[in-house]
Amino acid sequence: MPTIGVDKAALFKALGQEYSINLTVHFNDTFNNPIIRYTTDEFDELCFEFGIELDEDTSTSERPVVNGKQEPPQLKIEIPANRYDMLCIEGISLMLNIFNGKTPSPRYRLLPPPDGKIETLTIAEETMKIRPYAAGAILRNVSFTQARYDSFIALQDKLHQNLARQRTLVAIGTHDLDTIKGPFTYEALPPEEIEFVPLNQTKKMNAVEMMKFYETDKHLSRYLHIIKDSSVYPVILDANRTVCSMPPIINSDHSKISPKTHNIFIDVTATDRTKLEIVINILVAMFSQYTEEPFTAEPVQVISKHNNESRQVPNLKPRETEAEISYINNCCGLSLSAEDICKLLTRMSYSATPSKSSKNLIDVSIPPTRADVLHQCDIMEDVAIAYGFNSLPRSFPSKSGTVAQPLMINKLSDIVRLEAAMAGWSEVMPLILCSHDENFAWLNRKDDGDTAVRLANPKTAEYQVVRTSLLPGLLKTIRENKHHSVPIKIFEVSDVAFKDISLERKSRNERHFAAAWYGKTSGFEVVHGLMDRVMLMLKSAFITSEEGLEGHGSGDSSYWIEEVNDPTFFEGHSAEIHVAFDGKDRVIGVFGILHPTVLDNYDLRYPVSTLEMNIEAFL
């Protein structure tokens, strides 16, 4: 979990003075007004109640001297890894003040620009090659002090380190809007064509020269590999083709911000759209409180026609969901009314009201800063925090609030796994990563470039791709155990992965079952028998409606095999497995005797027969 260092005096001042449990009162001689001091122990107790942890108070230890002045006392607070809204003093103070009832939950709003013309950010199709997503926002009339400016920069660093995975998923750029002019464009250009003066430098360089210049830089050198080997580099340009930034490496010195900056243009580029939205929302929400009209921002119109991602950002509207009152009470061991739960959720920055559709539901509005809320169990946890963990009944719940049930795919996997084991086969669990050759060339298969998920920066030749077949793992297992007596009969039920550009993550998992026979005879009939047994038991499991299974299964289906010419197998000794679901034919797998060249590649001296099938087809 990240640890955030904040100025002790500034945080205590932001939190106010009325909430202390045991108040220590001093009097100011000049005005004779009471000054209420807040002790570290009291703050530690508040942190515990909220679910964060005070790690250290540096006021009692030696502090470094910088420019002749000793560093002010700091509080180092450990923040849960999913609370990105508390990675700065602004977020910590805001959430704790809401928790203490001193501040209402802010209502974030988007305001039109003064001239009524919304700035645009046009994304070029070439960016699909490197970082396909981008978003932007504008904060106008910001009042920065040196401390606020430092916090603004520190929050970007924290987001880069945590949620953005060292800038590989998301990169943030911030610019003085008064030095640049919209509309803006996000393009991907050859590195030789990108020229600008990097941040805090005086010499203009092109991107190739920058890569060499920053190779020895302690801070930026660790990010160079993200785009270094690409034929094009991402770049943000303004209306005059002035470079604003080259994400995820560095911003331009031309548009750098300072504590005197009043209007800020924020650009965010990413390879992950979900994290892009989280980052832009957090950054805007935390520092929009310093705008002339607090908690407001100016939107940017993203134009991205090539991938249908055109939209207005940021989206600061609350997410609407529902939570069951009975679920919350059962999990917490309480008997709260809908009104009580809504009042408790207000302390955790939610907006909640009893539902009009059901007495057992409450309607909950989740603020844009709470990206960590994914399920009603997260809402239940916040109710418990607001109620007070120490105040919850200390008795074993008489009724469980949850019912354990396996996922259907795992239930199905267990059925197949059990049948294979009862048939005398041994289960193995090889690694999911393998070399490119093991996954393709060694199996006499060709890579079309659109099948396997590749590692961007593999450390060894052994781990280059995510497997698209279970066979490499089985064959390597046999190779490492071929000194054992034969026959060797092994199987695996696990996931493989494929590229799928239609999905947000650009890949998908698929659950496969595979088996391999290694012996002095081919064992083709043994593998065929195992396939028949598995298919028979799958049919039985669905016909009897075994608990945890839903789907068409093979209860209303039939299966058969057809000879296939597959280069992985010996010619004339392989077959596809066909299944008809609702009258529609589908190929779910293949089995056969491996080709001699495959055996040579894996250094196997006896024949091997294998079976591999996609069991997700039965769901």
Side-chain angles (χ1 to χ4, degrees), residues 94 98 103-111 285 288 293-297 316-318 346 349-353 365-368:
L94 178 63
I98 294 172
T103 301
S105 297
R107 296 292 179 263
Y108 301 99
R109 294 184 299 121
L110 296 177
L111 296 181
S288 61
E293 188 173 346
F295 303 112
T296 61
L316 299 179
K317 294 180 180 178
T346 302
S349 78
Y350 296 89
S351 175
T353 57
S365 295
I366 305 170

Side-chain angles (χ1 to χ4, degrees), residues 23 95 137 150 170 241 281 303 388 411 446 475 483 523 587:
L23 301 180
M95 292 302 117
D150 292 342
V170 182
R241 304 294 290 177
N281 286 350
I303 302 173
K411 179 71 173 179
K446 294 182 179 180
L475 296 179
H483 58 278
V587 178

Side-chain angles (χ1 to χ4, degrees), residues 328 332 334 336 341 344-345 348 362 378-388:
I328 294 173
C332 299
L334 301 172
L336 299 174
I341 293 175
L344 291 173
L345 286 174
M348 302 304 292
I362 54 172
D378 299 308
I379 298 173
M380 175 273 297
E381 180 186 14
D382 282 341
V383 170
I385 292 173
Y387 187 85

